[in-house]
Every structure is written in structure tokens, then in C-alpha cells.
Amino acid sequence: MICGLIAIVSCNKKEVNPNLDSNVMLEEPVNTVVDSAAAGKHEGLALIEGGDCLTCHKMDVRVVGPSYQEVADKYTEADIDMLAGKIIEGGKGNWGEIPMTPHAGMSQENAKKMVAYILTLKK
């Protein structure tokens, strides 16, 4: 009976999705950004909407992290490289003690597009 139970359990393995528990955001496919840009949407916004960003950030309301409006009001275009680095590497301390998850799978170019869009929200 024990052998039968072991056989049943071993044959019922669930398929594991290696991306399910990952905190690393993969780079968005180029065709998604091109399609969004063709539809008149800023490439940075298309990348934001295609990623996990809106889980912790909203346009004008603080959630886990600052709103995009707060970021735009605090930083300038001179900060694009630094902010793109924060998206890729993560960080902690600028907006509180909750760390921002790193997005190591994102290219510097796409991170800069996202920051450029966020800075357009400056009041």
C-alpha cells in the first residue's frame, strides 16, 4: 500500500513555472512597445503598463512606493540615468524603508524610456 501511495504522489507532480515567483521583470517584447507607440501611447507608458510597476506605483496616488507624480515633481531630466539605475538595481531609503524590487531583466534603454515618461507628469 505504501508503494502504491508513493507511486501516485510521484506521478502527480505539478508543473513548475520558473517565472511565477520571480521578482525579476523581463524585458517587454519590442512589438508591444511598437504597437503602443503606433497607437499614440508613449513608449515609456507602454513599458510601465506591460510590467509589474503598477502593482506598487500609481500615477497620482501613493501605494507601496511613491506615485509617478511625486517622482516627477522631485526629479529632473538630469536624474534620468540615476532613476533608470534604480529601476534596474532596486533601492531603499529615498521614499521610506520599503525596498523597491530590482528589475535586472530590464535594459537601461527601456528603463530610461519609463523615466522619461514619468518626468512628463511634472506639474
Side-chain angles (χ1 to χ4, degrees), residues 1 15 19 21 23 28 35 42 44 56 60 62 71 81 95 105 107 114:
M1 184 164 152
E15 190 173 314
N19 295 323
D21 293 328
N23 284 334
E28 284 300 299
D35 292 346
H42 191 286
C56 297
D60 57 358
R62 184 180 284 241
V71 174
D81 288 333
W95 297 94
S107 71
M114 295 165 75

Side-chain angles (χ1 to χ4, degrees), residues 15-25 52 101:
E15 190 173 314
V16 177
N17 181 347
N19 295 323
L20 187 60
D21 293 328
S22 175
N23 284 334
V24 176
M25 183 174 121
D52 64 352
T101 304

Side-chain angles (χ1 to χ4, degrees), residues 2 7-9 13-14 16 19 21 25 30 36 41 43 46 51 67 72 76 84-85 88 99 116 122:
I2 293 175
I8 291 172
V9 171
K13 289 184 180 178
K14 290 185 180 179
V16 177
N19 295 323
D21 293 328
M25 183 174 121
V30 175
S36 297
K41 188 181 288 187
E43 284 183 88
S67 70
T76 68
I88 295 168
K122 186 178 290 294

Side-chain angles (χ1 to χ4, degrees), residues 50-115:
D52 64 352
C53 308
L54 296 173
T55 303
C56 297
H57 303 279
K58 301 293 180 214
M59 293 301 166
D60 57 358
V61 178
R62 184 180 284 241
V63 185
V64 175
S67 70
Y68 292 133
Q69 185 69 61
E70 289 176 294
V71 174
D73 291 343
K74 182 174 180 176
Y75 296 102
T76 68
E77 289 185 11
D79 300 307
I80 288 177
D81 288 333
M82 181 270 299
L83 291 171
K86 291 268 187 191
I87 291 170
I88 295 168
E89 298 166 15
K92 179 179 168 184
N94 291 1
W95 297 94
E97 292 305 308
I98 298 174
M100 179 169 161
T101 304
H103 297 83
M106 175 157 300
S107 71
Q108 184 79 12
E109 179 184 339
N110 282 347
K112 285 182 178 183
K113 289 176 185 177
M114 295 165 75
V115 173

